[in-house]
Amino acid sequence: MKDTVTEKLLGQSALRVEDPALLSGRGRYIDDLPVAAGTLALAFVRSPHGHAAIRSVDTAEATQAAGVVAVITGDDVAARTRSMTVGVKADVECWPMAVDRVRYVGEPVAMIVATDRYLAEDAADLVVVDYAVLEAVVEPVAALAEDAPVLHPSLGSNLINERSFRYGEPEAAFDAAAHRIGIDVTYPRSACTPIETYGVVASYEPGEDAYDVTANFQGPFSIHAVVARSLNVPGNRLRLRTPPESGGSFGIKQGVFPYMILAGIAARIAGAPVKWIEDRLEHLSASVSATNRQTRIEAAVTADGRITALDWDQIEDCGAHLRAPEPATLYRMHGNMTGAYDIPNMAIRNRVVLTNKTPTGLNRGFGGPQIYFALERLMDTIARHLGLDRLEVIRRNLIPAKAFPYRTASGALYDSGDYATALDRAVAEGGLAELYARRDKARAEGRRYGIGFACVVEPSVSNMGYITTVLTPEERAKAGPKNGAQATATISIDPLGSVTVKVASVPQGQGHRTVLAQVVADKFGLPLEAVRVLADVDTMRDAWSIASGNYASRFAPAVAGATEIAAARLRDKLAKVAATQLNISASDVLFEAGRIRSAGNPDNSLSFARVAATAHWSPGTLPDDVDQTMRETVYWTPPELEAPTAEDGVNSSLCHGFIFDFCGIEIDPETAEPRIDRYVTMHDCGRILHPAMVDGQVRGGFAQAVGAAFLEEYSYGADGSFQSGTLADYLLPTVMEVPEPVILHHETPSPFTPLGAKGVGEGNCMSTPVCIANAVADALAPEGDAPEIVLPVTAAKLAPLIFGDEPAPKEPVSETKTEDTAGGRKLTGEGRAVVQASREDVWRMLLDPATLDAIIPGSHGVRKVGETRFEADVTLGVGPVRGRYKADIDLSDLDPPNAVTLSGQAVGALGTGGGEGRITLTDTEDGTEIAYRYEARIGGKVASVGGRLLDGAAKVVIGEFFRALARHCGGGASSGAVARLRGLVDRIIKGGRS
Amino acid sequence: MPRLTKDDTHPVRFTLNGRPVSVRVSPRTLLTDALRHEIGATGTHVGCEHGVCGACTVQVDGEPARACLMLAQQAEGCAIRTVEGLGKSDALTPLQEAFREHFALQCGFCTAGILMTLDALFSRQPDAEEDAIREALSGHLCRCTGYAPIVQAALAARNRIKGGPIDA
């Protein structure tokens, strides 16, 4: 067989085979797939509190509601499942639905199975959950405090794992260094929020105790084991399938797995298949987000700017539960914690803490944004400290080209690269000199303009054993080694001789089917359209393993690589078959233009299909050393991905791409709005298989990073209330905010992958946020110390740095005010009203339940339950969010008839509220002046979706209260007010207000 | 509009991509749900159900509209056009073709809405400038492409629709 065929498809930007269907509305996403007749809808009751004990869940009314088939509580789920596997050794349970206690807003508390989604959601509002609200903790450093509220009492604290690592001689390096330079970095929470939300369809067959689940899950399929264990069935009793199309994932759809368990249990209890499509509020509040992290990083630096050691102290916030595969975000980068730099010594302290926020999970960049933000901000700080050119500090520390393959201090084996050349090319071809000139000109004109840099090593193809670095070497030895990253590919030939490729890569829009058709068509000398590719998964039919799925940028290096190997094996066999039929030697066989022929004699040929189908039609004619040519399955795992060593060295990823970015940013002199002037990104992702798709990955990652840098943040109040529950609150970049980056490539093929390709999908999520931050720092402070930059960099954050703090208003503002800062979503306000009644009369009215019922807006009844305690039922609306609330009101500091303090809590399906108000009464000429001052906090759904409407709504409700009070008193001399009021109350009671 | 009762279903009639359809839905049924789950026209996608992402954009009497913010009953008597009505089953329109050639989609979930917005724009303004195209696109969220290829595809489609060269 001669390997002289030019590989003409791979490396070209072939049109995508996926697109005609996707462009015409014929995609098959999960909500488009047909379901079995009788499939029911699933909806969730979710926690409005960041932290609360569940006293009781009353499902009686919901169970009776129209269309309801089942109402299922956390206890029902726990009775049929096991706690989900937690990746560290810790005495903690992790249930897919809350049992006894809720720990984040949005945590599932009950689920409804009903005949349609509308009725299921109606019934969800009827489930009455009695919560005892607990103090919440949302900041990772605060969660470590001695007196912090503890989320999981069995743990004793919120620290669920701590490990320290030491590589080389970090202490000696710091002692010997001329400088010790460090910074503290706060990295916030954000998420890549695909436009398609989660979806699950599940059924249960009691005769076989078997679950059949279809979900827009993305892998890794190690999660299949977690789900099967939790459902308490062997792996072959959990059939997991994915739809042909998925509407984006970026890591997020790994987090759908708890809902696979819940939907499975719901189907089992309901006795019918169930379907659940997540809504956007559920997605933002309760799917998964990336981790937020608090980092202290220090470097030992020589006088000439060489870094000899790093010292990391990372506090990782994984939210309310440590869900598989966390704390992987913290460990995915463990091998490449020295980035693009040749740093021989390193110390790392890693702490994982739990807080009252959504559990974390996979998210594009996975761990990279957090570490590179710290490392590259540190590089910028070192340059400032030493008064050196920033690029010069980077250059002096880059790993030299001749050092590859390069073993890092913490054990990664960087496969290939020429960082210095890539950087030089980017500087030249990306126009850095011109950018400097633009900065000089801008600064000469008094404008704020900065240039930032970032160097990143982008890991891809995760070692399935890296997460075990979180265990001690002893624990690892006991558990047995974990390593490798099995990729699978199956190529089959049907009786008509056409070729089908099947992989378990579960694409979410990346175009896998097109690239694999290129790989295989080239191998067989066929046109692209002759090869059909399937990339969705059915765990009962397909070849798969724990590493299967679409994450860690593993497609091009691992899945396409495994496919290349399978195609080569099948071609070798077909060459032998053809050699027999053509009467030539196998080494003389050529695959070209749909035919298999003699290299020496083009006329001696057969059609590919005829040779390929031989094993179906006349297996007896196959050569002796060819078993069959109908199906070839390859499992490929790279030998370089070894288990962590006894010294905690870990080759956490197979491939290591390189990125060098620089950008120019100008800050608007009037509004402090930052704007990207120019962005250049240089990538070395090894061999490029499809240039347009590679650039598509770069642009897509860049756009998400622009969002993380300027707009996106998961916002929580101190009470754990979630404040960014709509896409009007959690802002994603639009076409107006995303400039087009200049994309450059420098190819150094990976020696470790079959096609020389490396991953490319995540790099800009790692490099761009910090490159932007460095440019903003340069714009704010060209020299000397820079202010701390915390993402997202908004005009509101920059304005005080530029213009100083806003002066306090000269006169106190008597309007409502909303503060997002400390105490949740806090409303404060004050006002006054004059009523025509005496102080004593007003006082009596305020303490009388009938009066209160009449004047509280939306009241359905006020009951006096104690001398100074009232209960009320009210309906309140905030914008589109209208709901019924149960309120408890306490009166205290009574100073009759002069002043009283009202404090209260309101709880309803749409959220919670609490607050305190002081009312004072003073005599005026013809009545009483009522002055009030209040402070209120709002949580739950109203805080998540109605944030921007709350101020106005609070004003209206409070205003209505006092207007109603004034109406009660008004219209005559104050002496008659009580009589009139009594008459009114009588009328109201007799009139039977609803 | 006839008076509707909360717990009953009521017929609603409109044309979908030129064909008359009639479907019985409850008064609160969203147009997205009626299209997708009652009629089975699943090309229109649902991304946020609060009118921000633009994925569900359809044309109502030629104007782009968020199907998630419309009740199905509001479509009574209207001409509704969705992505399924853009091309023929075996041929893409110049706009769809340009999206394919410029790799202006990845997962394809937001694409239907974007196509309906651009199609409406070009039918009103065949020579829309880049600014107008960006303005129209600013009502759509795409998480995959970074938007640049979508703008390029839109410009190329405009040129092709005008009969000019495909590349802007």
Side-chain angles (χ1 to χ4, degrees):
Chain A
M1 184 191 67
K2 286 226 169 13
D3 203 0
T4 52
V5 180
T6 349
E7 295 196 342
K8 51 186 182 298
L9 290 167
L10 207 59
Q12 310 260 336
S13 294
L15 292 182
R16 302 199 328 164
V17 300
E18 292 87 348
D19 288 353
L22 297 183
L23 285 162
S24 308
R26 297 191 302 268
R28 291 159 299 157
Y29 304 87
I30 186 148
D31 194 29
D32 305 336
L33 301 180
V35 293
T39 297
L40 302 171
L42 183 61
F44 287 91
V45 177
R46 294 173 182 276
S47 170
H49 301 290
H51 199 189
I54 299 174
R55 287 202 199 99
S56 65
V57 181
D58 180 354
T59 61
E61 201 182 344
T63 307
Q64 297 305 313
V68 170
V69 175
V71 181
I72 299 160
T73 65
D75 288 337
D76 297 330
V77 173
R80 291 163 179 83
T81 57
R82 293 194 288 184
S83 162
M84 299 186 290
T85 311
V86 174
V88 302
K89 300 280 174 222
D91 180 15
V92 67
E93 290 184 333
C94 183
W95 296 99
M97 180 176 277
V99 179
D100 300 336
R101 186 189 282 236
V102 290
R103 297 178 175 88
Y104 64 97
V105 169
E107 182 161 14
V109 175
M111 49 185 171
I112 313 285
V113 181
T115 48
D116 77 36
R117 180 181 161 190
Y118 289 75
L119 294 175
E121 293 190 7
D122 285 348
D125 282 347
L126 300 177
V127 174
V128 181
V129 186
D130 185 14
Y131 295 102
V133 176
L134 301 169
E135 195 188 339
V137 61
V138 295
E139 292 302 330
V141 176
L144 286 173
E146 198 70 22
D147 57 348
V150 174
L151 273 75
H152 298 267
S154 61
L155 279 179
S157 79
N158 296 315
L159 178 67
I160 189 166
N161 183 267
E162 174 166 5
R163 283 220 65 198
S164 290
F165 305 90
R166 191 176 163 278
Y167 303 100
E169 299 289 341
E171 304 84 1
F174 273 99
D175 286 346
H179 307 278
R180 183 181 193 113
I181 300 170
I183 50 166
D184 291 291
V185 167
T186 302
Y187 201 87
R189 275 193 171 213
S190 60
C192 287
T193 51
I195 303 297
E196 181 197 43
T197 57
Y198 289 171
V200 182
V201 181
S203 63
Y204 176 72
E205 171 46 53
E208 292 188 88
D209 190 22
Y211 296 89
D212 193 332
V213 176
T214 302
N216 51 8
F217 178 64
Q218 62 139 45
F221 278 72
S222 51
I223 295 295
H224 181 275
V226 175
V227 174
R229 277 188 185 164
S230 180
L231 286 170
N232 220 353
V233 291
N236 63 6
R237 259 50 177 190
L238 171 61
R239 182 176 190 174
L240 175 57
R241 298 188 250 191
T242 66
E245 263 89 46
S246 176
S249 174
F250 323 109
I252 300 292
K253 282 175 179 158
Q254 169 265 335
V256 72
F257 79 90
Y259 296 103
M260 297 181 201
I261 300 167
L262 293 175
I265 294 302
R268 180 172 159 181
I269 291 174
V274 302
K275 175 176 172 176
W276 171 67
I277 302 294
E278 184 188 49
D279 72 24
R280 183 56 57 181
L281 171 60
E282 291 181 295
H283 186 85
L284 285 165
S285 63
S287 58
V288 288
S289 86
T291 64
N292 54 300
R293 191 179 296 178
Q294 187 65 38
T295 302
R296 170 79 191 168
I297 180 173
E298 297 180 349
V301 188
T302 64
D304 63 351
R306 276 279 298 149
I307 302 168
T308 55
L310 288 179
D311 188 347
W312 291 87
D313 187 350
Q314 306 188 96
I315 302 173
E316 177 85 325
D317 179 354
C318 285
H321 299 281
L322 198 65
R323 265 195 206 148
E326 293 287 37
T329 312
L330 187 56
Y331 283 89
R332 182 190 180 203
M333 299 285 144
H334 200 82
N336 52 282
M337 294 294 285
T338 43
Y341 310 116
D342 181 19
I343 304 172
N345 307 294
M346 183 161 56
I348 301 174
R349 182 189 190 195
N350 280 345
R351 282 174 282 179
V352 181
V353 304
L354 302 178
T355 63
N356 293 109
K357 303 207 291 273
T358 301
T360 57
L362 268 60
N363 194 72
R364 195 176 197 170
F366 202 49
Q370 293 89 337
I371 72 148
Y372 287 115
F373 195 89
L375 183 58
E376 295 302 297
R377 287 292 298 129
L378 177 68
M379 295 302 285
D380 184 71
T381 307
I382 291 171
R384 287 170 181 273
H385 197 90
L386 303 183
L388 289 171
D389 177 72
R390 292 173 177 86
L391 260 190
E392 193 49 39
V393 175
I394 289 171
R395 280 202 176 96
R396 284 178 195 177
N397 287 287
L398 285 178
I399 297 166
K402 63 180 187 323
F404 290 92
Y406 172 88
R407 184 72 72 176
T408 67
S410 49
L413 187 63
Y414 288 0
D415 43 346
S416 64
D418 184 349
Y419 299 171
T421 303
L423 185 146
D424 287 342
R425 278 191 52 207
V427 166
E429 295 167 35
L432 181 61
E434 188 208 330
L435 206 60
Y436 279 135
R438 288 173 71 80
R439 182 178 70 176
D440 291 345
K441 181 169 178 290
R443 284 183 178 169
E445 293 167 1
R447 292 183 281 136
R448 287 178 194 272
Y449 190 108
I451 291 176
F453 302 94
C455 271
V456 155
V457 168
E458 177 184 3
S460 52
V461 189
S462 286
N463 184 343
M464 298 313 281
Y466 80 73
I467 184 57
T468 61
T469 317
V470 74
L471 305 175
T472 63
E474 298 73 39
E475 287 168 338
R476 279 202 299 273
K478 214 173 138 193
K482 304 263 192 317
N483 61 62
Q486 290 280 11
T488 69
T490 297
I491 301 178
S492 51
I493 293 173
D494 59 58
L496 290 177
S498 60
V499 180
T500 305
V501 181
K502 182 73 197 68
V503 293
S505 72
V506 201
Q508 284 101 26
Q510 293 92 340
H512 293 180
R513 294 174 57 217
T514 302
V515 175
L516 296 185
Q518 289 178 288
V519 169
V520 174
D522 275 346
K523 219 43 160 190
F524 293 148
L526 295 171
L528 182 81
E529 53 277 10
V531 179
R532 194 108 197 276
V533 183
L534 295 179
D536 49 306
V537 166
D538 176 342
T539 58
M540 290 299 282
R541 288 188 194 276
D542 299 327
W544 63 280
S545 179
I546 59 166
S548 294
N550 187 22
Y551 63 96
S553 301
R554 64 194 302 280
F555 171 74
V559 178
T563 307
E564 160 80 9
I565 294 169
R569 279 193 198 161
L570 204 50
R571 189 178 70 164
D572 285 353
K573 285 188 187 180
L574 290 174
K576 287 177 186 166
V577 176
T580 311
Q581 296 179 4
L582 295 168
N583 263 326
I584 55 175
S585 81
S587 62
D588 191 31
V589 170
L590 201 64
F591 290 71
E592 198 175 59
R595 298 191 73 79
I596 303 179
R597 66 172 176 89
S598 158
N601 176 9
D603 293 336
N604 187 17
S605 73
L606 290 162
S607 79
F608 174 86
R610 186 188 168 105
V611 177
T614 305
H616 285 286
W617 298 102
S618 55
T621 65
L622 293 176
D624 288 345
D625 56 348
V626 175
D627 51 355
Q628 53 83 21
T629 61
M630 295 176 287
R631 179 180 283 247
E632 194 69 38
T633 295
V634 161
Y635 284 80
W636 177 76
T637 184
E640 291 82 9
L641 293 184
E642 297 169 320
T645 66
E647 294 74 39
D648 287 320
V650 58
N651 188 20
S652 33
S653 302
L654 176 66
C655 301
H656 295 86
F658 175 71
I659 301 170
F660 171 67
D661 286 0
F662 61 87
C663 70
I665 286 188
E666 182 166 3
I667 299 173
D668 188 285
E670 305 269 316
T671 65
E673 192 77 37
R675 181 186 63 82
I676 298 175
D677 182 38
R678 185 182 175 85
Y679 199 101
V680 177
T681 183
M682 162 60 90
H683 284 253
D684 181 352
C685 61
R687 183 177 167 207
I688 293 174
L689 305 183
H690 189 295
M693 285 189 203
V694 166
D695 284 358
Q697 287 299 310
V698 171
R699 284 195 202 94
F702 172 74
Q704 291 187 327
V706 166
F710 290 127
L711 299 167
E712 299 174 32
E713 184 175 16
Y714 270 46
S715 174
Y716 285 88
D719 60 349
S721 59
F722 182 64
Q723 301 166 335
S724 42
T726 74
L727 293 178
D729 301 289
Y730 186 82
L731 298 179
L732 304 182
T734 73
V735 69
M736 299 303 196
E737 286 84 34
V738 185
E740 168 137 39
V742 176
I743 303 171
L744 301 168
H745 296 286
H746 185 78
E747 291 183 53
T748 60
S750 172
F752 299 161
T753 67
L755 290 164
K758 306 182 186 189
V760 70
E762 300 174 84
N764 282 87
C765 288
M766 309 180 193
S767 60
T768 297
V770 67
C771 186
I772 288 171
N774 282 341
V776 169
D778 185 43
L780 292 172
E783 283 167 12
D785 290 342
E788 187 185 359
I789 309 285
V790 180
L791 302 182
V793 182
T794 57
K797 277 186 191 152
L798 293 179
L801 299 173
I802 294 169
F803 309 121
D805 287 330
E806 222 170 304
K810 288 191 185 98
E811 306 216 346
V813 184
S814 71
E815 293 199 341
T816 50
K817 221 166 60 180
T818 310
E819 286 173 39
D820 277 328
T821 48
R825 180 113 200 160
K826 198 163 89 176
L827 305 165
T828 57
E830 57 184 39
R832 56 198 68 228
V834 177
V835 297
Q836 292 176 316
S838 70
R839 264 188 300 153
E840 290 75 11
D841 287 345
V842 174
W843 180 262
R844 271 193 291 274
M845 286 186 238
L846 285 175
L847 265 59
D848 174 40
T851 314
L852 288 172
D853 184 34
I855 62 178
I856 289 173
S859 175
H860 302 286
V862 176
R863 290 173 302 283
K864 190 163 182 172
V865 292
E867 202 41 49
T868 57
R869 290 200 58 188
F870 298 89
E871 274 179 11
D873 262 320
V874 290
T875 295
L876 289 176
V878 179
V881 187
R882 196 165 185 82
R884 197 158 168 164
Y885 299 83
K886 185 173 160 294
D888 294 310
I889 301 153
D890 269 308
L891 305 181
S892 56
D893 297 333
L894 283 85
D895 173 17
N898 303 312
V900 60
T901 296
L902 277 85
S903 53
Q905 295 288 330
V907 182
L910 292 174
T912 60
E916 214 175 70
R918 181 78 176 162
I919 295 177
T920 51
L921 308 176
T922 42
D923 286 334
T924 62
E925 271 180 25
D926 58 347
T928 304
E929 184 189 75
I930 307 171
Y932 59 93
R933 181 188 286 273
Y934 65 88
E935 194 179 293
R937 257 185 296 280
I938 291 173
K941 204 178 275 184
V942 281
S944 304
V945 307
R948 65 193 58 218
L949 301 166
L950 287 178
D951 317 25
K955 239 167 102 175
V956 167
V957 169
I958 290 160
E960 271 179 33
F961 175 83
F962 286 104
R963 268 196 303 279
L965 181 64
R967 274 200 303 275
H968 267 72
C969 309
S974 49
S975 57
V978 174
R980 276 195 304 281
L981 183 68
R982 289 214 177 99
L984 184 68
V985 168
D986 286 348
R987 280 203 304 283
I988 286 165
I989 292 167
K990 285 173 190 154
R993 285 175 82 250
S994 61
Chain B
M1 197 169 169
R3 190 169 177 83
L4 308 174
T5 46
K6 181 164 79 72
D7 295 324
D8 288 332
T9 59
H10 303 269
V12 53
R13 295 170 202 83
F14 52 87
T15 65
L16 178 61
N17 300 319
R19 290 186 187 171
V21 292
S22 174
V23 59
R24 287 193 74 89
V25 292
S26 68
R28 62 176 171 171
T29 302
L30 300 177
L31 180 58
T32 43
D33 286 337
L35 288 173
R36 293 179 48 77
H37 300 307
E38 302 299 328
I39 297 168
T42 56
T44 300
H45 296 150
V46 175
C48 72
E49 289 182 303
H50 53 259
V52 180
C53 78
C56 67
T57 303
V58 299
Q59 290 172 11
V60 179
D61 296 334
E63 290 296 322
R66 307 286 211 234
C68 78
L69 295 186
M70 266 182 81
L71 297 170
Q73 293 289 350
Q74 292 175 289
E76 175 72 33
C78 295
I80 306 288
R81 197 153 167 263
T82 65
V83 67
E84 287 99 334
L86 276 187
K88 298 197 178 74
S89 64
D90 56 345
L92 299 176
T93 63
L95 179 62
Q96 291 167 315
E97 201 64 64
F99 266 63
R100 190 178 188 204
E101 287 166 6
H102 286 81
F103 300 93
L105 69 158
Q106 287 181 28
C107 81
F109 200 78
C110 69
T111 310
I114 292 176
L115 292 174
M116 297 318 288
T117 289
L118 289 175
D119 180 81
L121 174 71
F122 291 143
S123 64
R124 256 197 328 267
Q125 244 181 292
D127 53 355
E129 295 291 333
E130 182 172 338
D131 280 354
I133 290 170
R134 285 181 175 272
E135 180 74 29
L137 289 173
S138 70
H140 292 269
L141 296 174
C142 168
R143 281 304 245 175
C144 294
T145 63
Y147 301 106
I150 296 177
V151 175
Q152 286 158 11
L155 289 167
R158 178 201 62 189
N159 292 352
R160 185 175 286 183
I161 293 164
K162 282 197 305 188
I166 182 72
D167 288 315

